[in-house]
Amino acid sequence: MSTTASAGRIALVTGGSGGIGQAVVDRLVADGFSVAVHYARNQAKTDAIVENIVAAGGSAIAVDGDIADENAMRTVFDRVEDAFGGIDVVVNTAGIMMLAPIATLHLDDLDRMYRTNIRGTFVVSQQAARRVRKGGAIVNFSTTVTRTSFPSYGGYVASKAAIEALTLVLARELRGKDITVNAVAPGPTATPLFFDGKDKRTIQNLSTAAPLERLGTPDDVAEIVAFLAGPARWVNGQVIFVNGGLA
């Protein structure tokens, strides 16, 4: 789907002020989408993103809410529909990651990841399944670590594996509605979430682990999201690994 064909289409991006989320927002705006940029805490950054889009001639609004709260997300979807007249694409980049060996992971951290990553994705997917228009797309986010199985990622990977399963089931439940449902599974990507808690040696090792011998960039991931949001009408019920050949 070309930029011209995407003009007039509406996207909601959860976690739209994050590293990958912001890249997705920028790419969809460049493709002609009007975008609702969702945030949970970082209002100032989100407002700045929206202001920059509007100043450049694009169309965007900021929306906030806890993605795991069904009432808050119902309100978010209502606001998007009121502002733009409908929703064609939902990209759910919002998520959290806390790393520790399974033997020592604090169960409160496990519960936090499950609430945001699993329940949050379920709530957003549920609203998307009810609201996305014919010809639309739902894009959830997993991780390449579901394949690489790195130590200390057990709790996080378990939450992301659940997202993959949810995504594949939803694709089949939306039979006949002409809505695609896929998941993107990035590898090591240069974002604040990736760098948090890692020492220089770990970062260097991960930077050279893939055959392309570099970290991914948010733009690398946004390119795939834009493909799934636009022209990829025959890609459905898939997990797309975006990792430079790491796994």
Side-chain angles (χ1 to χ4, degrees):
M1 186 175 294
S2 67
T3 299
T4 300
S6 295
R9 283 164 62 83
I10 316 302
L12 166 63
V13 181
T14 71
S17 65
I20 290 175
Q22 184 176 351
V24 169
V25 167
D26 291 342
R27 176 57 188 266
L28 293 181
V29 169
D31 284 353
F33 281 83
S34 296
V35 179
V37 186
H38 163 271
Y39 68 95
R41 289 176 295 277
N42 202 336
Q43 180 177 356
K45 182 178 180 182
T46 307
D47 287 345
I49 292 170
V50 169
E51 289 170 7
N52 289 337
I53 291 170
V54 173
S59 179
I61 62 171
V63 292
D64 67 303
D66 177 358
I67 65 168
D69 183 328
E70 65 270 30
N71 294 319
M73 292 314 297
R74 186 182 302 115
T75 299
V76 164
F77 275 76
D78 287 343
R79 289 177 62 192
V80 178
E81 290 178 336
D82 289 344
F84 296 124
I87 302 176
D88 300 293
V89 172
V90 174
V91 183
N92 190 25
T93 75
I96 60 174
M97 177 174 67
M98 283 159 280
L99 304 181
I102 292 170
T104 59
L105 178 66
H106 200 291
L107 293 181
D108 287 345
D109 290 341
L110 181 69
D111 290 342
R112 287 177 61 199
M113 285 190 286
Y114 274 38
R115 186 178 191 280
T116 298
N117 298 351
I118 298 179
R119 181 183 169 90
T121 298
F122 195 99
V123 168
V124 172
S125 294
Q126 187 174 67
Q127 287 297 318
R130 298 169 178 172
R131 311 268 199 131
V132 168
R133 297 186 290 200
K134 183 178 180 179
I138 301 168
V139 183
N140 289 322
F141 265 70
S142 181
T143 173
T144 287
V145 191
T146 57
R147 284 188 174 181
T148 58
S149 304
F150 292 144
S152 298
Y153 281 79
Y156 178 68
V157 165
S159 72
K160 290 297 188 175
I163 290 171
E164 292 185 11
L166 165 66
T167 298
L168 303 189
V169 170
L170 183 57
R172 286 148 181 82
E173 289 182 347
L174 294 184
R175 172 185 289 273
K177 295 190 175 183
D178 191 22
I179 297 170
T180 62
V181 189
N182 295 287
V184 175
T189 306
T191 66
L193 181 66
F194 169 78
F195 290 120
D196 186 36
K198 294 183 177 69
D199 59 30
K200 290 183 179 180
R201 176 174 293 181
T202 299
I203 293 170
Q204 178 60 32
N205 288 341
L206 289 170
S207 298
T208 58
L212 296 181
E213 294 189 331
R214 66 172 176 86
L215 293 177
T217 69
D219 287 343
D220 290 327
V221 181
E223 181 177 13
I224 300 304
V225 174
F227 175 64
L228 295 173
R233 301 309 304 166
W234 195 235
V235 181
N236 188 32
Q238 304 299 315
V239 180
I240 311 297
F241 287 83
V242 188
N243 56 35
L246 179 61

